[in-house]
C-alpha cells in the first residue's frame, strides 16, 4: 500500500474525480434542505471542506445566500471558484483558520473531520460554536466509526481515516457548546467501482443558550 496522503495531497490529486464518484449523497441534500429551511434571507454561510463547490455552495448561493468555502486543497479551491463564481473560496487549513465570534448564520461541515485527528475535530467543533451567531445552525456530516488513524484505500490512493462512533460524536458536539436538534442516517453507494458503501450521519445543531440563573 502506498504512503497515506494528507488531506491536501489527496484532494489535489483527486480533483473533479471526487464529485464524479460521490455526486450528491442523499444525506447532503437533506443537510442543505434543512439549512435552507432555517436560514434568514441573504445569510452568511461558512462551508468547511467546500471541495468542488457542488452541490453545497452552489445550492446555497442559488438560494441567495452569501457563502464562503474553506478547503485545504488548492486544486479543489480552483475548481470551486470556476464552478461557483458567486461564492468566495479560501485555500486554508480550517484547523489554523479563524473568524470573528458570532459572525456566521450557518456552518456546513460535510465530511472534513474524517482526516483530522480526534483532538483537532474537538477543537474545530468548539471553533464552530464560537463562530456561529446565537441563533445560528451547523450541519455536520460524517461517517460514524470508532477508528483512529486507520489506513484505507480511497479513489486509488491510501489515506488515514479517523472518526467517532455516533454516541461519542454527539457528546463532543454538545461539549463544544452546541445543542443537537436532529440527526439523520443514510447508507450511500459511491458511483466509483471499488468504493464500499458508507454509512452517513447528519447532525443538525444550534449554539447552546446560556441559562438564566434564578433570582
Amino acid at each position: 500500500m502506498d504512503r497515506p496522503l494528507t488531506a491536501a495531497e489527496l484532494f489535489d490529486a483527486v480533483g473533479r474525480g471526487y464529485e464524479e464518484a460521490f455526486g450528491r449523497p442523499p444525506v447532503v441534500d437533506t443537510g442543505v434542505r434543512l439549512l435552507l429551511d432555517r436560514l434568514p434571507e441573504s445569510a452568511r454561510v461558512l462551508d468547511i471542506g467546500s471541495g468542488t463547490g457542488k452541490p453545497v455552495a452552489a445550492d446555497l448561493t442559488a438560494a441567495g445566500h452569501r457563502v464562503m468555502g474553506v478547503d485545504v486543497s488548492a486544486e479543489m479551491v480552483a475548481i470551486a471558484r470556476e464552478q461557483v463564481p458567486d461564492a468566495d473560496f479560501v485555500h486554508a487549513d480550517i484547523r489554523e483558520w479563524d473568524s470573528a465570534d458570532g459572525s456566521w448564520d450557518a456552518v456546513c461541515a460535510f465530511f472534513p473531520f474524517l482526516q483530522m485527528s480526534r483532538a483537532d475535530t474537538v477543537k474545530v467543533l468548539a471553533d464552530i460554536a464560537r463562530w456561529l451567531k446565537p441563533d445560528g445552525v451547523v450541519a455536520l456530516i460524517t461517517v460514524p466509526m470508532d477508528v483512529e488513524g486507520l489506513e484505507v484505500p480511497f479513489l486509488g490512493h491510501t489515506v488515514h481515516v479517523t472518526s467517532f462512533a455516533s454516541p461519542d460524536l454527539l457528546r463532543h458536539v454538545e461539549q463544544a457548546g452546541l445543542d443537537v436538534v436532529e440527526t439523520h442516517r443514510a447508507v450511500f453507494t459511491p458511483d466509483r467501482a471499488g468504493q464500499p458503501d458508507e454509512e452517513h450521519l447528519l447532525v443538525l445543531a444550534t449554539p447552546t443558550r446560556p441559562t438564566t440563573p434564578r433570582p
Side-chain angles (χ1 to χ4, degrees):
M1 197 175 278
D2 296 334
R3 173 185 67 83
L5 301 185
T6 66
E9 292 170 335
L10 171 67
F11 289 106
D12 281 347
V14 169
R16 296 180 192 273
Y18 180 81
E19 187 179 319
E20 294 167 0
F22 286 86
R24 299 183 68 105
V27 74
V28 170
D29 282 341
T30 300
V32 172
R33 175 178 54 78
L34 290 173
L35 285 178
L36 291 176
D37 288 344
R38 288 173 167 266
L39 290 177
E41 290 186 7
S42 192
R44 295 191 72 219
V45 183
L46 176 65
D47 185 8
I48 298 174
S50 46
T52 67
K54 291 185 175 181
V56 180
D59 287 357
L60 292 170
T61 55
H65 300 299
R66 295 167 293 161
V67 180
M68 174 180 284
V70 178
D71 202 285
V72 73
S73 163
E75 177 65 16
M76 287 296 198
V77 168
I79 294 170
R81 287 172 176 166
E82 174 190 333
Q83 295 198 133
V84 193
D86 291 334
D88 294 320
F89 296 95
V90 175
H91 176 215
D93 188 328
I94 198 65
R95 297 170 296 182
E96 301 167 358
W97 187 84
D98 201 4
S99 185
D101 293 2
S103 56
W104 298 93
D105 294 290
V107 175
C108 300
F110 293 172
F111 304 107
F113 297 119
L114 292 171
Q115 289 184 277
M116 293 186 198
S117 70
R118 287 180 168 175
D120 285 336
T121 295
V122 170
K123 174 191 177 297
V124 174
L125 285 172
D127 287 339
I128 289 171
R130 177 169 57 83
W131 294 334
L132 280 171
K133 294 181 179 179
D135 58 350
V137 60
V138 56
L140 152 68
I141 299 176
T142 192
V143 179
M145 301 178 289
D146 185 13
V147 297
E148 187 165 13
L150 179 67
E151 288 192 14
V152 299
F154 184 81
L155 298 179
H157 303 277
T158 302
V159 296
H160 280 133
V161 170
T162 294
S163 189
F164 290 104
S166 297
D168 294 327
L169 175 65
L170 297 179
R171 174 170 53 84
H172 284 298
V173 168
E174 292 179 344
Q175 289 176 345
L178 298 161
D179 290 335
V180 175
V181 176
E182 56 186 290
T183 62
H184 297 264
R185 296 176 183 272
V187 175
F188 175 67
T189 302
D191 290 337
R192 181 70 63 90
Q195 284 298 127
D197 290 355
E198 294 182 349
E199 179 186 1
H200 290 169
L201 172 66
L202 164 64
V203 179
L204 200 73
T206 57
T208 302
R209 295 187 180 277
T211 57
T212 302
R214 293 183 178 181

